[in-house]
Every structure is written in C-alpha cells, then in structure tokens.
Amino acid sequence: MAQNGRGARATIGLLNLLSGGLGIWGGAQVLVYFREASTIGITIGAAGLVAGVFFALAGLAVWRGWADARAFGLSAGATTIVVYVAGVALGIIGMSGLLWGVAYPALVMVWLARPGSGAGRTAEREPRRDDRGRDDAIRRRVSALA
C-alpha cells in the first residue's frame, strides 16, 4: 500500500463507484421500464437511483481524498443501507441487494470510521482549514496591543 492508504482509498473508491453504478442502473430501470409499477415501487426506485448517485460520488470523494470524504461516505453509506433494506423488505429489491446494498456499504462505513483510513479529516481532531475561530483572532489582537 502506498502512503496514507492511497491504494486502499483507490480500491474502496472504485468499488463504491461500481456499487453506486448498480444502484443507479437498478433505480433507473425501475423508473424507465416499470411505469405501471406501484407508487412504492417507483419511490424505492427513485430513492435507489439517488442513493446510487450519492454512493458513487462518495467513492469518488474517497478515491480523490477530498477533505470531507469521510462524512460524505458515512452519510451516503447510511442512505444506501436504508434504501436497500426498505427495498428488500418490500420485495422490490432481490436478496442480492443485501450483499451490494447493505453489507458492502456497512463494510465501507466501518473502514471510514476507523481513525487511520486516510479519508478526510475527523471532526474531533482537525478543524476546518478556513475555521480559525473567534478566540484566535481575539488573542492575536490582545497580544499585539500588549
């Protein structure tokens, strides 16, 4: 593996793109080909399409090492899990949806939650680059006056 887990990030990012592509394909298929489907089927299809887009974008964020990739990946993973569990429970998504739509995003969420994943900053450790805080500015002014 390369520095900062670059190889792992690339692997997870690529697999997220592929898994998100499956969600996009399945959701679009429901919306295009099954126009006579029930309202709940159309809703789950649309939600699957949106969740697939978010999961694929999260994969791109992890792969490229964006600053907030961790938060985006965790929220996209949780959204994907909710949509796929609802789809499987309602019988709209097949049992393979449990593997690609629940197990894999859960695995990604576990990987992203660990401190050494190298995917973006952690909120409790690193502040935003542009957030210097009000107290820092006040201390600088007081120091300059003294």
Side-chain angles (χ1 to χ4, degrees), residues 49-146:
L49 177 73
V50 171
V53 168
F54 285 149
F55 202 65
L57 286 175
L60 185 63
V62 167
W63 190 354
R64 302 297 300 157
W66 296 350
D68 290 326
R70 178 181 307 226
F72 189 42
L74 289 171
S75 62
T79 302
T80 303
I81 289 171
V82 167
V83 169
Y84 275 80
V85 165
V88 170
L90 294 170
I92 297 166
I93 298 174
M95 292 306 285
S96 63
L98 290 177
L99 176 64
W100 296 111
V102 177
Y104 176 69
L107 178 72
V108 170
M109 289 175 68
V110 167
W111 183 80
L112 285 173
R114 67 185 186 87
S117 67
R121 63 182 180 82
T122 56
E124 63 274 354
R125 287 190 185 180
E126 305 169 20
R128 290 183 182 264
R129 291 181 190 151
D130 59 349
D131 184 19
R132 296 195 175 126
R134 183 175 166 88
D135 294 335
D136 187 34
I138 291 172
R139 271 190 246 130
R140 281 187 280 149
R141 284 189 222 138
V142 170
S143 299
L145 293 174

Side-chain angles (χ1 to χ4, degrees), residues 22-32 42 44-46 48-49:
L22 286 173
I24 293 167
W25 178 69
Q29 195 175 31
V30 168
L31 293 177
V32 171
I42 299 286
I44 293 294
L49 177 73

